[in-house]
Amino acid sequence: MKKTTLILVVLTMISLFYSCSKSQLDVKNPNDPTYDALNTESGLLQLAGGVYNNDVEVGDNFYNFYWIAMANHENMADATYTPWGNWSWRWANQPTSITLDDGTVITPPQEGEQGKALEDRNVRTQGDSNAFAHEWMTMYNSNNTCNLILELVENTTFVNDAENKKALLKAWAYFWKGYAYSRIGSMYTAGLIISEANQTNGDFVTNSMIIKEATANFDKAITELNNTSGDISDFMSSVIPSGLVPSSFRGNNPSQTLNKDMWIRNINTLKARNILVNKKVAEMTSSDWMDIINLTNDGMQQSDFVFVMKQDGVNFILSIIIPARLRLGWHFLSERLVQDFKSGDDRYTDNVTLLSSPQVNRSGRGIQYGTRYGLSDGDYATRTDNKANVYYGATYDENELMMAEALIRTNQIEDGLALIDKIRTHQQSGLSDISGTGLTLDEALEELRIERRIGLFLRGVGFYDARRWNVTKQPQSGKVVLDALGNLNTNATFNYNYLDYWSVPDQELSFNAPTEGSVDVKT
């Protein structure tokens, strides 16, 4: 964090990562968010740029979204694993039991099921070791920043084209509010709707209400975008990426600038995701699937701007991302992900390596912490600057696979399979087409499951899939695992028994007790 130039604390427990230089702002009191510089066009643009950087330090704690929180998602998807106790990772990916091929039942060496271990640590004094805190703190930090933008924009003097600039800054704020509420509603059993900067309330509502608020903010963003005229690219380039420190926060193509149509398509894909990932498959209705088809039809295209971050070699903090840490011994490739690669998949050939000796029962913390495989310097894991992406938002790949699932589950199997083929070609998998091969519904759904596991690896949706497919609750057979002696089991049964949604962190509740009428804040 030494090269981050300004951290603005705007709440006792919710801080704003601020991307301005002191010389630009001439800040007199860095703890006062009402200083005059924010009422200027340049100051407001710098504030808007800070929304994108969700790495936040609060006091002595390190609350982090794009490494710690996103690693939790990949670990709970059993795509990666982390045996270390840092930030309670080892408890987040601890199955309740594993039954080996010979019927032997293996239980965790410490503390039992995941839910109890994490709930026991949901205490404010645990600080950043409370796994529940990271996504909550960073997303409400972003929401607070957006509220501040919306309050300041009407009173800001713009050099020219004021109405267009105001509409775009409002769209930017509403977009990130929608994103923040999407993450909160998709991860926690309850949340808060907060629309004023530096304020809070104790009116906790259900996660479904939080997702509705996400949609409402996305729709407001679209409305503001439709209120603009002309090409917005020049103005947006002052927010992405040139208005940002560090410079690596940018679109998938460094030279690409976000335009209005791309932005709206990004929003439609995120709205489709919110429908898909917050219900069990059995709870989805024909109307839900049709809504997903409609949104993804107007969703992201192959050449669209994608919200990503890359390690750029300038800021130390940018090595604190999953692709780099997969090469530094923090996270490891799960045997259960490797077994989902189809034979002949070039994504496997290009990225997965066989270890010289297997990792077995790492640190004695459970046999799930073991693997025969590692990752080469490639698409998934790298310490090379400007190579691997860390995905904040949705992608074209995710858009097409959501549409594929909706089509398959509404008996348009061949159309869905054609989209899976399309994404495999897009990702240069080298796999043969599966459309036109006469697959049954169950076979088509298995191809979809595999492709979401592989094609969307490290995209932040794997745990959502495990939850909605009931992998987190129903024992899963046919799994590969190394036992404590290193023997290979190919038909093990995993009883993950993970929490589907997390409780509100005690970091919030210790200072903000639920008011009368609030919903239950504990899972």
Side-chain angles (χ1 to χ4, degrees):
M1 295 297 291
K2 291 181 179 178
K3 296 196 177 186
T4 303
T5 54
L6 181 63
I7 296 176
L8 172 65
V9 180
V10 293
L11 284 177
T12 302
M13 294 305 294
I14 303 178
S15 69
L16 162 64
F17 188 106
Y18 201 111
S19 302
C20 304
S21 71
K22 291 181 180 178
S23 60
Q24 287 174 312
L25 291 181
D26 188 26
V27 174
K28 305 301 184 185
N29 177 6
N31 293 319
D32 179 4
T34 63
Y35 41 75
D36 293 339
L38 288 181
N39 290 314
T40 67
E41 180 175 336
S42 61
L44 194 55
L45 285 176
Q46 293 287 347
L47 179 63
V51 174
Y52 202 93
N53 189 339
N54 283 324
D55 185 271
V56 182
E57 287 188 50
V58 182
D60 294 327
N61 295 309
F62 180 53
Y63 298 114
N64 180 291
F65 173 69
Y66 55 74
W67 178 31
I68 297 171
M70 295 302 280
N72 278 326
H73 282 260
E74 296 300 328
N75 289 344
M76 293 190 297
D78 203 1
T80 59
Y81 70 84
T82 307
W84 317 123
N86 306 64
W87 303 294
S88 292
W89 270 327
R90 63 170 294 196
W91 312 115
N93 59 166
Q94 178 162 283
T96 294
S97 66
I98 301 170
T99 304
L100 301 180
D101 291 3
D102 63 4
T104 302
V105 178
I106 307 296
T107 55
Q110 287 185 316
E111 296 198 38
E113 60 193 42
Q114 178 232 39
K116 183 180 185 303
L118 293 183
E119 288 286 1
D120 286 347
R121 288 166 176 77
N122 185 16
V123 181
R124 179 175 60 86
T125 53
Q126 284 280 321
D128 52 28
S129 290
N130 180 0
F132 294 174
H134 291 271
E135 200 156 352
W136 181 278
M137 300 294 280
T138 54
M139 290 301 103
Y140 275 111
N141 165 69
S142 289
N143 183 66
N144 188 69
T145 308
C146 294
N147 287 337
L148 187 57
I149 293 168
L150 292 169
E151 290 177 9
L152 292 170
V153 68
E154 292 296 344
N155 296 318
T156 298
T157 300
F158 294 91
V159 176
N160 51 48
D161 199 18
E163 294 308 310
N164 248 11
K165 290 177 178 178
K166 285 181 181 180
L168 287 168
L169 281 167
K170 288 179 184 177
W172 183 250
Y174 285 130
F175 172 75
W176 286 108
K177 279 175 69 70
Y179 181 84
Y181 283 129
S182 297
R183 300 298 310 193
I184 294 294
S186 297
M187 195 62 193
Y188 294 92
T189 193
L192 296 166
I193 296 173
I194 303 174
S195 302
E196 296 180 67
N198 308 329
Q199 301 296 320
T200 190
N201 62 70
D203 302 326
F204 290 87
V205 298
T206 63
N207 47 24
S208 61
M209 290 298 295
I210 296 295
I211 293 299
K212 287 182 180 179
E213 185 66 15
T215 300
N217 279 277
F218 283 144
D219 288 342
K220 288 176 183 178
I222 292 174
T223 297
E224 294 296 341
L225 285 171
N226 287 330
N227 285 336
T228 63
S229 59
D231 184 4
I232 71 169
S233 299
D234 287 344
F235 181 72
M236 292 315 300
S237 66
S238 66
V239 180
I240 314 170
S242 61
L244 293 170
V245 179
S247 60
S248 62
F249 290 81
R250 60 186 177 221
N252 192 34
N253 180 344
S255 63
Q256 188 180 47
T257 304
L258 181 65
N259 66 36
K260 185 190 306 185
D261 292 338
M262 289 180 184
W263 197 348
I264 291 173
R265 289 195 291 268
N266 263 271
I267 291 171
N268 287 334
T269 300
L270 286 169
K271 288 170 68 175
R273 177 199 285 180
N274 281 346
I275 296 171
L276 182 72
V277 305
N278 285 295
K279 287 185 178 181
K280 302 284 189 179
V281 169
E283 298 170 345
M284 293 287 284
T285 67
S286 57
S287 178
D288 290 329
W289 294 120
M290 185 53 63
D291 286 342
I292 289 171
I293 290 171
N294 291 335
L295 285 165
T296 52
N297 268 325
D298 293 326
M300 294 183 70
Q301 298 176 6
Q302 186 170 339
S303 60
D304 278 353
F305 183 100
V306 181
F307 289 96
V308 299
M309 179 182 68
K310 291 177 184 284
Q311 179 173 312
D312 69 353
V314 176
N315 294 270
F316 169 76
I317 191 173
L318 296 185
S319 68
I320 308 177
I321 51 178
I322 296 177
R325 295 291 153 160
L326 279 164
R327 298 282 292 169
L328 289 169
W330 281 87
H331 313 287
F332 305 94
L333 191 59
S334 168
E335 284 275 352
R336 273 70 63 196
L337 183 75
V338 174
Q339 76 175 96
D340 280 334
F341 278 97
K342 298 186 72 174
S343 177
D345 193 328
D346 288 339
R347 293 170 294 187
Y348 173 90
T349 305
D350 294 342
N351 292 283
V352 180
T353 60
L354 189 66
L355 299 176
S356 57
S357 59
Q359 296 180 7
V360 177
N361 191 17
R362 194 68 182 253
S363 300
R365 289 178 171 173
I367 63 171
Q368 72 271 22
Y369 306 125
T371 186
R372 294 167 292 165
Y373 300 98
L375 288 167
S376 59
D377 190 295
D379 299 320
Y380 304 138
T382 184
R383 297 178 66 190
T384 303
D385 292 340
N386 300 310
K387 191 172 184 179
N389 290 329
V390 177
Y391 294 93
Y392 264 74
T395 61
Y396 162 73
D397 316 63
E398 183 185 357
N399 188 83
E400 299 302 284
L401 291 177
M402 285 194 291
M403 186 188 298
E405 181 166 0
L407 291 170
I408 291 170
R409 293 191 186 277
T410 55
N411 295 315
Q412 301 171 74
I413 295 175
E414 286 301 319
D415 291 337
L417 293 176
L419 290 178
I420 295 174
D421 289 336
K422 188 177 178 181
I423 292 306
R424 287 175 174 171
T425 299
H426 172 62
Q427 294 195 0
Q428 301 179 322
S429 71
L431 293 173
S432 300
D433 286 353
I434 53 175
S435 56
T437 60
L439 297 187
T440 65
L441 174 61
D442 286 344
E443 290 168 338
L445 289 173
E446 176 61 7
E447 292 288 344
L448 173 79
R449 185 195 68 82
I450 289 171
E451 192 54 34
R452 284 191 65 90
R453 290 270 288 166
I454 304 302
L456 301 183
F457 178 45
L458 302 182
R459 305 289 178 97
V461 296
F463 169 65
Y464 297 153
D465 285 344
R467 179 178 65 197
R468 67 191 183 86
W469 293 334
N470 239 12
V471 171
T472 54
K473 293 302 179 187
Q474 292 181 346
Q476 303 293 306
S477 61
K479 300 299 181 182
V480 173
V481 69
L482 299 170
D483 68 19
L485 298 176
N487 298 313
L488 182 66
N489 288 253
T490 59
N491 191 31
T493 297
F494 274 62
N495 178 22
Y496 294 99
N497 194 27
Y498 290 166
L499 295 172
D500 278 351
Y501 288 87
W502 283 1
S503 298
V504 175
D506 192 51
Q507 275 85 336
E508 178 73 39
L509 299 176
S510 287
F511 298 96
N512 186 27
T515 58
E516 185 177 354
S518 288
V519 300
D520 193 353
V521 296
K522 297 289 186 179
T523 300

